[in-house]
Amino acid sequence: MRRIPARTACLAATLLLTTLASGAPAPVGARELPDTYVVSHEPGVLPEGITVTPDGTVYVSSDGLGTLYRGRVGDPELEQFPARGLADRPSTLGVHTDRRGRILSVGGATLTVHDRHGRLLATRTAQDGPLGAPHLNDLTVTKDAVYVTDWANPVVHRAEIRGDAIGPLEPWLDIRSAFPQFPAQYWLLNGIVADGTGTALLVASNGTEAVWRISTTDKAVSRLDLGDQSFGADGMVLRDRTLYAVLNYGAPHGVYIARLDEELRTGTVTHRLTDHPFDLPTTLARHGCRLYVVNSQLDEPPGRPPYTVTALDDPTCGTAAAP
């Protein structure tokens, strides 16, 4: 090990003491971050979806009012995001951003795209499915497409991305072929995530209490094998081979973390974070070494303000499980 020259060490110590005495702010990474974020104090919001951008901007959707909220990871209070064109959509569920910084959200039968200022860039409407009108639940964005789950129909919808343009939202896959004996109305498709290449999707189904792997090249569908673990996830995040999922049905409420194989076909649940004061968690986002979990209060609508997001440490941070 190299030794620090005495003179250099003394100089460094002097600079450190001077900095501390002057009250200079600590580096951003060292600041204390909130454990709880208030989405809104307005009655009936019922937050549902969440995404956090690389720069720490937080977006949360409202199942109760259809609005979007925006904040920062360093600020415990969010504000309503002035997203135009949502007045006719009483419920907004999944929300994500793309590489261009656009905000994509779904609810009812529509996918909407906004810029950072809330300007409406596009609206895409899904077609009715085999069981009737769509109830779009969540979405994931790859380099060439947006994939959307439908709670009311066992269907995954797709909108092609070409440059800045987003094509029509069309039925892409009827998932019933993977489990044809299961009743169509009980698939209840929830969260959806894509791998880094966009060639594999993972889709959560509350009804089957499972996560299903879909190849985007040939639409082959198989059940993600997690051993004996029942895994009827709601919202999910996929980071490399680590799957983070919120469970709120058929299992203690909380965040469950699984380590998957390279092809995302099998895995093992490594962590169950169920000892936090969640209030019907629905989904989550990951930023830095923290997980941001939405407390929806959907089990007792319209709930009781304030509506919140709980932040907790990612137990896999710094390990090979979550690079």
Side-chain angles (χ1 to χ4, degrees):
M1 179 181 293
R2 295 180 58 189
R3 293 177 59 87
I4 302 175
R7 182 173 178 177
T8 303
C10 290
L11 178 59
T14 300
L15 290 173
L16 176 59
L17 290 172
T18 302
T19 301
L20 292 174
S22 66
V28 172
R31 292 177 184 168
E32 190 79 18
L33 294 176
D35 294 325
T36 301
Y37 296 81
V38 175
V39 177
S40 177
H41 295 274
E42 183 180 1
V45 167
L46 300 173
E48 212 279 354
I50 187 171
T51 190
V52 183
T53 67
D55 72 355
T57 302
V58 182
Y59 292 94
V60 175
S61 64
S62 165
D63 186 10
L65 302 180
T67 46
L68 291 170
Y69 297 84
R70 181 172 63 185
R72 300 282 300 175
V73 294
D75 188 339
E77 296 274 346
L78 279 68
E79 297 180 347
Q80 187 170 332
F81 177 54
R84 300 180 179 90
L86 295 182
D88 295 330
R89 189 168 78 189
S91 173
T92 299
L93 302 180
V95 57
H96 289 285
T97 57
D98 65 8
R99 298 174 185 178
R100 295 171 174 81
R102 298 178 296 188
I103 301 93
L104 296 85
S105 61
V106 295
T110 63
L111 160 70
T112 56
V113 185
H114 292 86
D115 67 12
R116 295 183 182 90
H117 306 289
R119 288 189 289 257
L120 181 63
L121 303 177
T123 299
R124 301 291 181 260
T125 302
Q127 302 174 25
D128 287 359
L131 302 181
H135 185 179
L136 304 183
N137 194 320
D138 200 4
L139 69 152
T140 190
V141 185
T142 68
K143 62 181 180 181
D144 59 5
V146 183
Y147 295 91
V148 183
T149 56
D150 190 337
W151 172 263
N153 294 277
V155 172
V156 177
H157 305 264
R158 181 181 186 271
E160 186 176 2
I161 298 175
R162 290 185 177 178
D164 291 335
I166 296 179
L169 188 59
E170 300 175 329
W172 178 72
L173 175 67
D174 187 324
I175 201 171
R176 288 178 294 178
S177 61
F179 193 2
Q181 64 270 40
F182 192 78
Q185 68 270 31
Y186 296 129
W187 272 89
L188 306 176
L189 300 185
N190 271 321
I192 182 170
V193 292
D195 70 351
T197 64
T199 58
L201 306 175
L202 295 178
V203 174
S205 163
N206 258 171
T208 62
E209 295 190 32
V211 173
W212 299 82
R213 182 193 187 277
I214 304 173
S215 167
T216 59
T217 55
D218 61 8
K219 300 184 181 180
V221 183
S222 59
R223 183 170 179 159
L224 175 63
D225 183 359
L226 294 173
D228 296 332
Q229 173 72 48
S230 173
F231 214 80
D234 197 336
M236 302 187 297
V237 168
L238 180 65
R239 180 176 172 84
D240 189 40
R241 292 163 51 195
T242 302
L243 179 66
Y244 304 83
V246 170
L247 271 66
N248 53 32
Y249 170 76
H253 293 184
V255 177
Y256 291 65
I257 304 175
R259 179 66 171 167
L260 309 183
D261 72 329
E262 291 185 359
E263 295 187 346
L264 310 182
R265 297 182 184 277
T266 65
T268 301
V269 176
T270 58
H271 298 82
R272 296 172 176 84
L273 310 180
T274 59
D275 57 350
H276 296 267
F278 299 123
D279 199 344
L280 194 72
T282 48
T283 192
L284 77 165
R286 185 183 187 277
H287 182 263
C289 285
R290 306 220 306 165
L291 305 175
Y292 297 81
V293 184
V294 175
N295 295 302
S296 73
Q297 301 191 42
L298 282 169
D299 53 342
E300 296 182 356
R304 290 175 295 177
Y307 303 94
T308 63
V309 168
T310 296
L312 55 146
D313 293 335
D314 179 356
T316 72
C317 194
T319 71

